[in-house]
Amino acid sequence: MPEYDKSHCAIRSVNKYTGSAHKAVSADVTGKKKRGKNQTGYFGHYEATADAEAGIGGAIAGAGAASTVYKLRERDGEVNVGKSYTNAEVGAGLGGYKAKAELGVDVVNAKGKLGRNQEVSANLGFNVDTGVEAGVDGLSVKAGGLGFSVGRNMGISTPFGGVNFKLW
């Protein structure tokens, strides 16, 4: 099992009362491991996360893991080469609901900022992402990797790739 850099592996909050109406209990665990680094990126980037929140406004829980052969991260974006991932989330509350599972391997995926809050992301690979997410920010529906998003995020996905625009 790899040793984790303590600055990147921590339980950030357990049973923390935030004082807000939408989040009263929260737990979050994140672990990251980076192997070699060249001047512009990382070879062998691994990440695992688990998160759960519950409160007056609803509850949400999720977990995931990802492994990337090469990750290039700059101030306004990132490129991942040879990324495999799995993720699951379920939640419901006053702002909407979600139930989704993601599983895929990307030959390449990229994300970049277009403005202050706007982003574009695209990927080329294979995925079987499935689920639904609906709320005040919009609607996202996927089945077997084929799907769409409308609202704050506008996008289309296929089992072999996709593109998404974050509008605000």
Side-chain angles (χ1 to χ4, degrees), residues 103-116:
L103 177 65
V105 177
D106 288 338
V107 175
V108 64
N109 75 28
K111 177 171 51 172
K113 290 187 177 186
L114 296 175
R116 184 174 178 183

Side-chain angles (χ1 to χ4, degrees), residues 6 8 18 41 48-49 52 57 69 106 112 134 142:
K6 290 180 182 172
H8 291 97
T18 64
T49 61
V69 173
D106 288 338
K142 290 185 184 179

